[in-house]
Amino acid sequence: MENKKGKLIVFEGPDGSGQSTQAELLKKYLEEKGFQIILTKEPTRESPASQKISAILNHKTKATPEELQKLFIEDREHHVEKLILPALVESRIIICDRYFFSNFAFGAIDCALDWLISLNQNFPIPDLTLILDVSPEVCLERITSRGRPVQFFENLEKLGKVMENYKKVAPMFSNVYLVNGERPIETIHQEILEIVKKVLE
Ligand code: ADP
């Protein structure tokens, strides 16, 4: 990682917590400041593994929890190799909507956390991870109102466990911030900007 000069900023949280909304707002703000931003997300929808993930999450194929988590790793390997690492070497700012914390938070519902952490140990560590803290009830309300079919992890019990797991792993890494995501979009955005400014200094 000696040549890594860019910055990797990651958004995390349960589905419906508002990551995509905040990632877009941050991109827009930084572009207006003159930065060139790469906004990307996981799963990527580009790797062979991501096609399999999509089929599993949409209940079209079955897999064990371990198989599913390993597919996220395969997809991340593709993402890091093809996009994230080259962009970091070129000193770009990358905003990534989900990264390895999603493996921990979603995966640890059914798999061992130590195993999930070990699978991720060779990936670039984000310069900043912002975890949106939103209750399962609010997440589900937002998911339902966006009107697409509900996916595998989108029920109250799982959304709650995902949030618990995020809170459990957050202190294990540096540069991780929990942000209250139940406030108005603009208030959250302003708090995120304060954090991001410190990281980009
Ligand atoms: P995620 O990417 O975490 O699944 P999205 O950013 O797609 O979540 O947001 C899910 C829905 O909730 C969207 O319809 C979005 O407009 C809405 N939303 C996002 N953030 C907030 C917020 N702070 N307050 C109210 N609604 C929000």
Side-chain angles (χ1 to χ4, degrees):
M1 295 309 300
E2 285 156 36
N3 295 324
K4 174 187 168 303
K5 295 193 211 93
K7 298 280 183 204
L8 177 58
I9 300 175
V10 171
F11 281 90
E12 292 277 0
D15 291 338
S17 60
Q19 304 151 75
S20 313
T21 305
Q22 293 298 330
E24 283 288 349
L25 284 175
L26 179 61
K27 174 179 188 265
K28 193 163 165 265
Y29 172 86
L30 292 173
E31 282 178 344
E32 280 166 7
K33 293 278 165 209
F35 292 98
Q36 279 195 327
I37 306 299
I38 297 176
L39 176 58
T40 183
K41 82 185 275 152
E42 292 192 358
T44 64
R45 304 210 173 103
E46 272 150 38
S47 69
S50 72
Q51 313 294 323
K52 294 182 196 160
I53 291 169
S54 168
I56 296 162
L57 294 183
N58 291 307
H59 312 279
K60 291 185 183 128
T61 335
K62 281 202 161 74
T64 65
E66 286 77 14
E67 283 165 347
L68 176 61
Q69 295 310 315
K70 282 200 225 158
L71 286 170
F72 281 103
I73 301 292
E74 269 181 54
D75 183 49
R76 184 161 306 118
E77 280 166 355
H78 183 274
H79 197 201
V80 166
E81 186 194 324
K82 302 281 178 210
L83 190 137
I84 294 180
L85 214 43
L88 285 174
V89 171
E90 282 173 22
S91 305
R92 306 286 288 271
I93 298 175
I94 303 136
I95 300 175
C96 192
D97 183 346
R98 299 201 174 286
Y99 191 57
F100 57 47
F101 272 88
S102 288
N103 254 130
F104 309 152
F106 289 76
I109 296 176
D110 300 303
C111 305
L113 181 59
D114 288 355
W115 176 69
L116 294 164
I117 293 175
S118 73
L119 290 179
N120 280 284
Q121 64 192 0
N122 292 327
F123 293 121
I125 310 266
D127 296 279
L128 171 64
T129 302
L130 297 150
I131 302 176
L132 291 168
D133 185 0
V134 178
S135 70
E137 290 78 11
V138 173
C139 288
L140 201 59
E141 195 184 299
R142 292 183 191 166
I143 292 166
T144 324
S145 62
R146 77 187 162 195
R148 61 159 178 72
V150 170
Q151 287 191 331
F152 183 77
F153 285 106
E154 296 174 346
N155 65 54
L156 274 186
E157 195 198 340
K158 285 196 170 135
L159 288 163
K161 281 192 182 158
V162 165
M163 197 63 243
E164 261 176 45
N165 288 336
Y166 273 125
K167 288 183 176 165
K168 192 161 138 193
V169 289
M172 296 161 79
F173 290 80
S174 48
N175 302 323
V176 180
Y177 291 77
L178 272 170
V179 175
N180 173 357
E182 293 194 8
R183 296 166 298 165
I185 290 173
E186 187 54 33
T187 312
I188 302 166
H189 175 56
Q190 290 305 323
E191 181 177 331
I192 287 173
L193 288 186
E194 291 310 309
I195 300 169
V196 167
K197 281 179 200 160
K198 282 188 245 159
V199 172
L200 295 183
E201 262 167 15

